[in-house]
Amino acid sequence: HTYVGDLVLSLTNSAQSQIFYEAEGGSNDDIHKTFTLEGFSGAPAKANWVLKVQDRAAQDIGNLDSWSLEIQY
């Protein structure tokens, strides 16, 4: 995705939601990064996990090539 500063990323399970990336990176292209989220501590692994990617500008387009979720106890 061009201009990653337009993006907002959030992760949701059946009980809560957390924005973990918002308007960072300015005019850089693409996000290749590992995020550590502390807000889901104690959340069950067997939940409906949803990654939401929002582009807050209409000028660019992008694709989500892949993502994964690793839960550590």
Side-chain angles (χ1 to χ4, degrees):
H1 187 281
T2 58
Y3 211 92
V4 296
D6 295 342
L7 299 178
V8 177
L9 308 179
S10 62
L11 184 66
T12 302
N13 67 11
S14 52
Q16 63 197 89
S17 182
Q18 180 179 352
I19 293 174
F20 61 91
Y21 184 94
E22 185 170 13
E24 299 173 26
S27 62
N28 293 327
D29 291 351
D30 303 328
I31 300 172
H32 299 279
K33 189 173 179 178
T34 299
F35 299 93
T36 301
L37 306 180
E38 302 294 333
F40 291 100
S41 181
K46 291 185 178 184
N48 184 23
W49 293 93
V50 177
L51 174 67
K52 184 176 182 180
V53 180
Q54 295 175 283
D55 185 343
R56 292 192 172 164
Q59 291 81 7
D60 317 284
I61 60 169
N63 296 306
L64 177 63
D65 293 329
S66 66
W67 77 283
S68 63
L69 177 65
E70 180 180 324
I71 298 174
Q72 297 179 347
Y73 291 101

